[in-house]
Amino acid sequence: MDLMELFFISLGSAVVVYYGVKLLLFTRMLFPNLWFPLSKTFFTSMGEWAVVTGASEGIGRSYAFALAEQGMSVVIMSRTKATLDQVAKEIGDKTGQRVKVIVTDFTQENVFSEIEGQLKDLNIGILVNNVGMLPSFIPSKFLDFAELDQTITKVINCNVKTMAKMSKIILPGMENRGKGVILNISSGVAFIPFPMYTLYAASKVFVERFSQGLQAEYKDKGIIIQAVSPFGVSTRMAAYQKSNLVTLSPEDFVKSSLQYIRAGDKTPGSIYHIVLGWLLQTIPLKVLHAESMQHGLKDYVKKRAAESS
């Protein structure tokens, strides 16, 4: 066997091993309950309380319900008191768990000292940083947004600053107890540079990188920090599209995503969205970023908005 034959045999073996490992990792995602099992007391063992931002509807509301059903008391936070009070009543009636309501607008400045005061005496085991906003539901180029300066400030305050500030408030208690879970809700649009939603997508990239870096810093303290990056979920932000295999209901998505808590520092939260993320990354950016694709996206979203109104 000459040197060239040995090289190609070694190269072929390396490729087989590489793709074999990739296949094994993918099959793990198919069976999260088998590969990443959680005990029946996993959630309550983290602490007495769960805190969920943006909990008045959609994904946040579903996380609040799901964690209450696991036996946790929940703090729900959003800017609309009437809606929060209704959600709190529904959670209490259905689960019997305590619910604390904190009304706040995360797009504004200087809201966190009051929040910290209301949370300081609670044994918080889980934080779900869910609150987020789109600059505009209809896709638009960056300079086309009305009141661009205010839009930039609101998006950064809501999507970026809130996650960091809430982590600053709650993470020290988790570190002291040596346990806790922080779930930071990102988005599938963070998988690639995403024109027409540029500001929103970039803010969600921050969510992912912040989460992954924080997990590296604190995993040895017994704390799980994970970015959850869904694609389609039938919420107001997605114009309440009809649920299917790709566009999940908030309840189904949250139920699925909680099975992946121990699956690493980033997860799309659903096998269908894992596949979508893989497919998206195989498409050349020249195709996705073509002007025709941008116009097509805008026309599609406009059509969906008109159908749902």
Side-chain angles (χ1 to χ4, degrees):
M1 182 181 298
D2 59 25
L3 187 60
M4 188 62 70
E5 288 178 326
L6 182 60
F7 169 77
F8 282 112
I9 290 173
S10 300
L11 179 62
S13 299
V15 170
V16 169
V17 170
Y18 173 77
Y19 282 102
V21 170
K22 295 276 283 186
L23 180 61
L24 177 61
L25 292 175
F26 179 75
T27 58
R28 294 171 74 204
M29 299 300 107
L30 290 172
F31 308 104
N33 287 330
L34 177 64
W35 287 96
F36 316 111
L38 301 176
S39 69
K40 291 183 178 180
T41 61
F42 172 82
F43 295 99
T44 53
S45 72
M46 293 294 109
E48 185 180 2
W49 288 85
V51 175
V52 184
T53 66
S56 60
E57 61 179 323
I59 291 174
R61 180 181 183 277
S62 295
Y63 269 114
F65 263 96
L67 294 170
E69 287 170 348
Q70 292 292 332
M72 302 192 75
S73 300
V74 292
V75 179
I76 55 176
M77 307 174 67
S78 187
R79 63 182 178 180
T80 309
K81 185 177 188 304
T83 308
L84 283 177
D85 287 342
Q86 180 60 36
V87 173
K89 182 178 185 305
E90 292 172 2
I91 292 174
D93 290 345
K94 183 176 180 180
T95 68
Q97 298 299 317
R98 289 176 296 171
V99 184
K100 179 179 177 65
V101 168
I102 297 180
V103 180
T104 190
D105 184 352
F106 288 112
T107 67
Q108 302 301 310
E109 305 283 352
N110 304 319
V111 300
F112 296 99
S113 58
E114 181 180 347
I115 291 171
E116 185 170 12
Q118 294 197 55
L119 296 178
K120 67 179 181 179
D121 296 325
L122 302 183
N123 176 6
I124 298 170
I126 297 180
L127 167 63
V128 181
N129 278 313
N130 166 74
V131 70
M133 64 170 288
L134 280 170
S136 169
F137 178 71
I138 303 299
S140 299
K141 292 185 177 180
F142 179 65
L143 294 179
D144 292 343
F145 288 114
E147 300 180 335
L148 182 56
D149 285 335
Q150 295 94 321
T151 297
I152 291 170
T153 298
K154 286 183 177 181
V155 170
I156 291 175
N157 282 350
C158 189
N159 297 7
V160 174
K161 181 179 177 180
T162 291
M163 179 187 61
K165 285 285 196 175
M166 291 300 298
S167 298
K168 174 184 176 291
I169 290 170
I170 292 175
L171 186 57
M174 293 180 174
E175 183 181 24
N176 289 339
R177 295 191 304 274
K179 57 185 177 180
V181 174
I182 297 177
L183 301 178
N184 295 322
I185 309 305
S186 180
S187 170
V189 301
F191 274 72
I192 61 169
F194 213 98
M196 307 299 280
Y197 285 119
T198 298
L199 186 59
Y200 176 77
S203 74
K204 292 303 184 178
V205 173
F206 180 90
V207 172
E208 290 191 357
R209 295 298 179 266
F210 181 83
S211 303
Q212 292 170 312
L214 213 60
Q215 175 66 123
E217 293 174 1
Y218 289 95
K219 62 183 178 181
D220 290 342
K221 301 292 186 179
I223 302 168
I224 296 172
I225 302 168
Q226 183 183 69
V228 183
S229 304
F231 283 88
V233 181
S234 182
T235 65
R236 179 166 54 89
M237 195 177 286
Y240 299 108
Q241 293 188 42
K242 185 177 180 181
S243 300
N244 51 47
L245 285 179
V246 175
T247 303
L248 305 179
S249 70
E251 295 78 13
D252 287 343
F253 171 73
V254 167
K255 180 180 178 181
S256 173
S257 70
L258 290 175
Q259 297 174 6
Y260 289 92
I261 279 182
R262 297 180 60 245
D265 58 16
K266 174 185 173 182
T267 178
S270 157
I271 185 59
Y272 305 110
H273 292 184
I274 290 170
V275 173
L276 272 177
W278 177 78
L279 290 174
L280 185 63
Q281 290 175 305
T282 65
I283 302 173
L285 287 180
K286 284 186 178 181
V287 174
L288 293 173
H289 290 177
E291 192 74 19
S292 59
M293 290 290 286
Q294 296 180 41
H295 285 301
L297 174 63
K298 189 168 187 175
D299 292 342
Y300 172 77
V301 175
K302 281 184 175 179
K303 181 181 178 181
R304 296 298 303 180
E307 290 173 352
S308 63
S309 63

